[in-house]
């Protein structure tokens, strides 16, 4: 059967794009193709549909039995282009058995310099939420980001960067198995929920990530610019405190 030339051209373009995609994934140590996230959900607005996979990365990552092993398996990561601008890879901190896990977007300048998530001004506000609001210490909870290296000028992480890095977060969640995840800000929320809905619609309601209860709320950096919305975050955090009582 003769394939019309416009379809041939389209097929050629698909093949080129697929080859490029597989090459990127191979460079990232991703060897298996997995199905895209469930079709009823969508990726964050900054991510092209179908770019985020539930794929396992290197088998050593998948087989890690502890956070230390996972960190070791990530190594001096060059799976995406962010490695070239980082001072430190910011893996995550806190209690490996934490009941509550906070997930942000990506390290900023202070976090990059220190190698620890949420240590700048927004981090101080998050610490206040944890200590003054929840009456816990930072050592009681676990804190991580979707992307482990600082994007230049704090821009949003790009789809290939999320694709390379999110499996580490997924494994962190798998190892900590918190009772509740608090997703901080539009990017982390849309990414974890595979949703394009605005954070204003998603926050304050329970959702799920990997069968774990997830509460979306505003990012502390947003609260620094919009302190009037702190009361909404407090409402969200009170729901988390309630959920933790019965966990
Ligand atoms: N913002 C984030 O999303 N994560 C950090 O670690 C710091 C600031």
């Amino acid at each position: 059967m003769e394939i019309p030339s416009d379809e041939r051209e389209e097929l050629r373009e698909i093949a080129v794009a697929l080859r490029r995609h597989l090459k990127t994934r191979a460079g990232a140590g991703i060897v298996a193709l997995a199905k895209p996230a469930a079709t009823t959900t969508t990726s964050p607005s900054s991510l092209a549909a179908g770019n985020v996979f539930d794929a396992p990365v290197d088998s050593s990552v998948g087989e890690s039995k502890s956070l230390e092993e996972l960190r070791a398996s990530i190594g001096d990561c060059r799976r995406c282009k962010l490695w070239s601008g980082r001072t430190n890879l910011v893996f995550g901190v806190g209690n490996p058995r934490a009941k509550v896990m906070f997930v942000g977007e990506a390290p900023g300048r202070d976090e990059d310099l220190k190698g620890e998530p949420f240590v700048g001004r927004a981090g101080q506000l998050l610490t206040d939420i944890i200590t003054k609001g929840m009456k816990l210490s930072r050592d009681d909870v676990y804190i991580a980001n979707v992307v482990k290296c600082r994007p230049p000028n704090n821009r949003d992480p790009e789809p290939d960067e999320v694709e390379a890095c999110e499996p580490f977060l997924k494994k962190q969640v798998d190892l900590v198995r918190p009772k509740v995840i608090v997703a901080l800000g539009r990017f982390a929320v849309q990414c974890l929920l595979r949703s394009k809905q605005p954070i204003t619609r998603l926050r304050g309601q329970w959702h799920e990530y990997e069968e774990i209860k997830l509460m979306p709320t505003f990012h502390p950096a947003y609260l620094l610019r919009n302190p009037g919305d702190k009361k909404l975050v407090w409402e969200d955090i009170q729901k988390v405190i309630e959920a933790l009582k019965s966990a």
Side-chain angles (χ1 to χ4, degrees), residues 104-108 111 117-118 145 219:
E105 173 179 333
E111 291 75 21
F118 285 99
N145 285 303
H219 195 284

Side-chain angles (χ1 to χ4, degrees), residues 58-158:
D58 332 29
S59 58
S60 58
V61 169
E63 286 159 15
S64 301
K65 300 269 181 303
S66 67
L67 292 166
E68 289 77 18
E69 272 183 39
L70 175 61
R71 175 63 192 92
S73 71
I74 294 173
D76 183 22
C77 187
R78 296 188 176 194
R79 293 167 179 85
C80 83
K81 56 191 174 301
L82 293 181
W83 74 268
S84 62
R86 73 167 177 243
T87 313
N88 287 294
L89 185 150
V90 182
F91 176 67
V93 280
N95 183 345
R97 301 264 168 278
K99 283 191 170 180
V100 56
M101 179 163 175
F102 291 87
V103 178
E105 173 179 333
R109 192 178 64 93
D110 296 310
E111 291 75 21
D112 171 68
L113 291 175
K114 195 159 177 211
E116 186 175 330
F118 285 99
V119 290
R121 276 185 71 223
Q124 184 52 55
L125 186 48
L126 177 63
T127 304
D128 285 348
I129 291 169
I130 294 165
T131 56
K132 297 180 185 159
M134 303 178 77
K135 310 279 185 244
L136 295 171
S137 83
R138 269 176 75 104
D139 292 340
D140 292 323
V141 307
Y142 194 82
I143 309 176
N145 285 303
V146 175
V147 165
K148 313 292 187 219
C149 296
R150 184 191 182 199
N153 303 314
N154 299 339
R155 65 155 168 73
D156 276 3
E158 292 176 353

Side-chain angles (χ1 to χ4, degrees), residues 203-219:
R203 62 147 285 278
Q205 313 285 337
W206 285 110
H207 300 261
E208 272 193 6
Y209 177 78
E210 301 288 307
E211 296 175 13
I212 294 172
K213 285 168 81 111
L214 183 147
M215 175 58 71
T217 196
F218 290 126
H219 195 284

